[in-house]
Amino acid sequence: MIETHELVKKFEDFLAVDRVSLNIPAGEVLALLGPNGAGKTTTVRMLTSVLRPTAGWARVAGYDVVTQAEQVRASVGVLTEQHGLYGRMPADDYLDFFGQIYRMPAALRRKRGGELLEQFGLAGDRKRRIGQYSKGMRQKLALARSLLHDPPVLLLDEPTSAMDPESARLVRDAIHGLRSAKRTIIICTHNLPEAEELADQIAIIRRGRIIVRGTSTMLKESLLGPAEYQVQFAAHLPNSLPELPANLKIHKHGPDWLRFYPLDPLQDNPAVIRHLVGQGLPVLGLTEVPRSLEHVYLQAINAPDGVDILNMRNLANNAALTPQASEAAYAG
Amino acid sequence: MQDNLRPVFIIAYREVRDQLRDWRIIIPIALLTLFFPFLMNFTAGQVVGFVQQYGANLLADRFIPFLLMIVGFFPITISLAIALESFAGETERRSIEPLLGSPLSDWQLYLGKLLASLIPPLLASYLGVIVYLIGIRRTANWVPSVDFLILVLLLTTVQALVMVSGAVVVSTQTTSVRAANLLASFIVLPMSLLIQGESVVMLWADYGVLWWAVLGQVILAGLLVRMGLAHFNREELLGKEIDTLNMRWAWKVFSRAFVGQARNPGDWLKHELPPALRRLAIPVAFMTITLVVVTWVAADQARISGLPASVFSMDKLTTLDETFLDQFREIGFFSANGVFSIWLHNLQTILIATLLGVLTFAVGGVLVLLLPMAIIGFFAGAAGLAGIRPITFLLAFIMPHGLFELPAIILSGAAILQIGAALLTPAHNMTIGEAWLRAFADWAKVALAVVMPLFLIASALEMFVSPHFMLMVLGGL
């Protein structure tokens, strides 16, 4: 649904996007992460045929972003970083205006606009001028605008920023719903837990280049090493540490817990539990040690230039999450 | 077509509605529409009464139409502010971005905003004119002729169009309303001068001249709309974040376009110059035709002017002898220094023409280059009145150096035209700035490799050969 190949954008002598290649099938969500000025917005603008690529090509919803720009824009719903709302207009009129721009019939405009205002909890304020809306309400209205013409592709820049937790949940649920409805979505965000929750794939962009891309699990494994598991006991461990199956070793332990790296969690984890229970230990549970996307993000962003980030796995285990420490770890 | 225009009206309608919700626009428009005409009526009444005391009825007759123009003009000044807000304001607030992400074409968005900036001030202006006319009918029993009323309404309309289309060009070059307002002085100052000029003409009651002013402004507005359409595109609007001149980049683009792939001067002459010359084919044809037409029209003007041939002492040309060459010698001809000074003079003219061309969409530059031929053409026409064949006169004055000088003038004019066209034409796959720099690089290539050498040869011929040729052609007449 979204396919790009070696997409490049130069502004005068500034390289904003550098050979970005993506392939996002229908019904998949990609989270595009990166620091400010990394090239996220420029990439999105090229995908909406707002900016023309300097080199490379992109197809969105089957249309070429250069030669079929109008069809691309008709197939895409965009939530821009700045919402671009007209303060003196009521929400009703605003959605109706954009419905006309997208050439929707009047009855459909009214129906769809009403549904979206209802969905995002704005139905009661539909006649109020947008200038009187709170930040979160504006954000929801802008999102409603991007969904109005029911586009197959959605490009959402910070969809839940400035929202209270309840509204943010509402929006995240809406995005889940859109994914189920086979919409292709790119989310640009700095909200990493949200990216992890919503996205099937995560791409991290730095200085215009996508430096890593994959599922959250894959990125964690690649950058932070294999998943570590913790066994929690109902009582303190005996003085002599218990034994794990032959091929596994205890990595860390506490008074009532121990951690290990399974080679294959599907096979090893049940074997570990059986082994420990067999030794008469009161096993309370076994869980993966949580590793946040933030660790992955910082690891990737702070990696030295030219490094194959996906092969930095072992370095990551010991590295503190500062650029200096990261570089030192790599050099070591 | 109707389907394509629909979004234009949707945008215009929304913007006009939005303006009508803004008291900062409504109040000035209401004042200028309703109160200002009454004030002008009162003023007209007072002035007419005053001048009639001294029998200066003529002044009274001129003053009332003049105020009609002023009443029409004042409300349209708001169009400038509305346009700056609509184009630069929306860009600054980024509220234009969702529109840019919609299936609208650039021209639909441009036209919609243009209409929205024009309609309320123009309606206010027409309404003000009606109010003024009703009042003046009652107080001074004055009714304009239909011709004159159409003239004033057309003047008002094209002035608004010039201001709004100028404001769009200004807005696309800035990222903030503040910067756009500062740049708007490039519109306000010429418009003030124009209004002053029109006022003088109005008081002179030479209304025919005002029709020419309408025509001139229609052409100017056409150029500005064309330029606005070329500049008002997504790439230009969102491609820049701050208003800075990136001289390093500009130099890089220029030098890359100038040098191209060439590795040495020979390579450059062989591979880079010919494509630049080929790109000038259409402007060269245009310049050549224009040069011929201008010379012919100028010659014809000599005939129409009805000035006797003796005024230009053309009869003396038929009595030229060797002393004629001595006169040339006295003013520095037949010397190497003279060659250099003519060459420099010609280069200076080309530089001035280029500078003027850059500032006037090439028009001023081309006019400068056409002027010498127009003068020679005029004198050729005058010579015809004295019994000398104009073509003989032309040959005597422009040969043989003209064989080199005229192609140099045509090429320079063509390169200047290309620079002007770069500002008015949407550039494919590059920004307007880049297209302009490339056109400028073509100008530099042609100037350096062709025009300068041609002028040097022409100067040498003009210095050493042309006087002899002139004597040969004219002396025996």
Side-chain angles (χ1 to χ4, degrees), chain B residues 5 55-56 70 87 191 230 250 257 350 371 446 462:
Chain B
L5 284 176
I70 297 298
F87 288 90
M191 281 311 288
I350 295 300
L371 193 63
V446 171
E462 192 171 355

Side-chain angles (χ1 to χ4, degrees), chain A residues 97-114:
Chain A
F97 167 67
F98 270 93
Q100 289 182 64
I101 295 290
Y102 281 93
R103 298 175 184 233
M104 293 167 71
L108 182 63
R109 289 200 302 269
R110 274 193 296 275
K111 180 174 173 283
R112 186 99 181 109

Side-chain angles (χ1 to χ4, degrees), chain A residues 21-288:
Chain A
S21 296
L22 295 170
N23 188 358
I24 315 163
E28 209 165 90
V29 180
L30 173 94
L32 198 53
L33 312 179
N36 294 327
K40 301 187 294 290
T41 304
T42 305
T43 305
V44 165
R45 283 178 180 170
M46 282 193 281
L47 294 179
T48 46
S49 292
V50 169
L51 292 179
R52 187 185 277 263
T54 310
W57 56 263
R59 291 181 76 80
V60 175
Y63 300 112
D64 184 275
V65 294
V66 176
T67 57
Q68 295 167 297
E70 214 162 290
Q71 289 93 323
V72 167
R73 289 197 288 265
S75 313
V76 172
V78 197
L79 174 69
T80 48
E81 195 179 355
Q82 310 281 330
H83 308 139
L85 304 167
Y86 300 116
R88 285 191 286 270
M89 256 181 144
D92 248 0
D93 287 1
Y94 182 74
L95 290 184
D96 191 65
F97 167 67
F98 270 93
Q100 289 182 64
I101 295 290
Y102 281 93
R103 298 175 184 233
M104 293 167 71
L108 182 63
R109 289 200 302 269
R110 274 193 296 275
K111 180 174 173 283
R112 186 99 181 109
E115 282 169 4
L116 286 164
L117 290 175
E118 193 73 48
Q119 181 181 356
F120 291 115
L122 297 172
D125 299 292
R126 64 200 307 159
K127 299 287 177 203
R128 271 174 72 196
R129 295 209 173 161
I130 299 167
Q132 298 167 336
Y133 276 25
S134 70
K135 270 187 185 175
M137 288 165 83
R138 288 179 201 194
Q139 176 91 349
K140 285 190 278 187
L141 182 62
L143 188 61
R145 178 200 63 218
S146 67
L147 299 173
L148 186 68
H149 56 297
D150 199 16
V153 175
L154 281 156
L155 304 171
L156 310 175
D157 205 343
E158 295 289 353
T160 60
S161 66
M163 281 189 187
D164 58 69
E166 192 188 352
S167 300
R169 183 73 264 159
L170 204 68
V171 169
R172 282 198 289 272
D173 288 345
I175 293 172
H176 280 302
L178 289 163
R179 180 170 51 184
S180 308
K182 287 282 172 196
R183 301 288 182 265
T184 306
I185 305 170
I186 290 184
I187 300 172
C188 298
T189 182
H190 295 297
N191 185 337
L192 302 180
E194 182 175 282
E196 199 167 8
E197 180 194 330
L198 295 173
D200 301 291
Q201 285 192 71
I202 286 161
I204 299 177
I205 188 167
R206 184 183 66 175
R207 291 198 280 278
R209 291 208 72 179
I210 290 194
I211 48 175
V212 283
R213 192 181 139 212
T215 61
S216 166
T217 315
M218 190 196 116
L219 290 183
K220 283 177 186 169
E221 188 155 324
S222 300
L223 275 95
L224 306 177
E228 191 182 18
Y229 284 81
Q230 176 170 312
V231 182
Q232 184 68 47
F233 300 97
H236 278 209
L237 288 169
N239 284 342
S240 59
L241 283 175
E243 282 186 5
L244 297 184
N247 54 348
L248 301 173
K249 282 184 182 164
I250 293 172
H251 176 237
K252 280 181 190 164
H253 66 88
D256 57 352
W257 57 268
L258 62 82
R259 286 179 186 180
F260 66 99
Y261 287 106
L263 300 174
D264 177 3
L266 282 177
Q267 285 189 4
D268 292 345
N269 289 359
V272 165
I273 292 172
R274 276 197 304 274
H275 209 81
L276 293 170
V277 171
Q279 292 170 59
L281 293 165
V283 174
L284 200 59
L286 183 144
T287 51
E288 185 182 334

Side-chain angles (χ1 to χ4, degrees), chain A residues 9-14 41 45 48-54 66 69-76 78 80-90 93-94 96-98 100-104 109 129 145 149, chain B residues 3-4 6-7 10-11 14-15 17-19 21-22 24-25 85 90 93-106 108 113 234-236 238-241 244-246 248-249 252 256 428-430:
Chain A
K9 183 66 193 176
K10 271 182 101 171
F11 294 112
E12 297 183 349
D13 50 0
F14 173 68
T41 304
R45 283 178 180 170
T48 46
S49 292
V50 169
L51 292 179
R52 187 185 277 263
T54 310
V66 176
E70 214 162 290
Q71 289 93 323
V72 167
R73 289 197 288 265
S75 313
V76 172
V78 197
T80 48
E81 195 179 355
Q82 310 281 330
H83 308 139
L85 304 167
Y86 300 116
R88 285 191 286 270
M89 256 181 144
D93 287 1
Y94 182 74
D96 191 65
F97 167 67
F98 270 93
Q100 289 182 64
I101 295 290
Y102 281 93
R103 298 175 184 233
M104 293 167 71
R109 289 200 302 269
R129 295 209 173 161
R145 178 200 63 218
H149 56 297
Chain B
D3 222 30
N4 280 335
R6 214 174 143 254
I10 293 169
I11 289 163
R14 188 209 72 77
E15 293 221 359
R17 273 189 77 184
D18 217 39
Q19 289 164 25
R21 288 180 176 127
D22 191 345
R24 291 165 303 181
I25 293 174
E85 166 60 25
E90 272 227 62
R93 288 191 303 275
R94 296 285 190 202
S95 55
I96 203 166
E97 219 171 321
L99 287 174
L100 299 180
S102 74
L104 289 171
S105 304
D106 292 331
Q108 287 170 328
K113 285 180 162 289
R234 291 162 161 89
E235 194 76 33
E236 291 279 332
L238 294 178
K240 52 177 175 274
E241 298 290 333
T244 53
L245 268 180
N246 188 344
R248 208 179 65 167
W249 167 82
K252 216 160 95 180
R256 203 175 286 162
H428 181 67
N429 227 358
M430 62 179 104

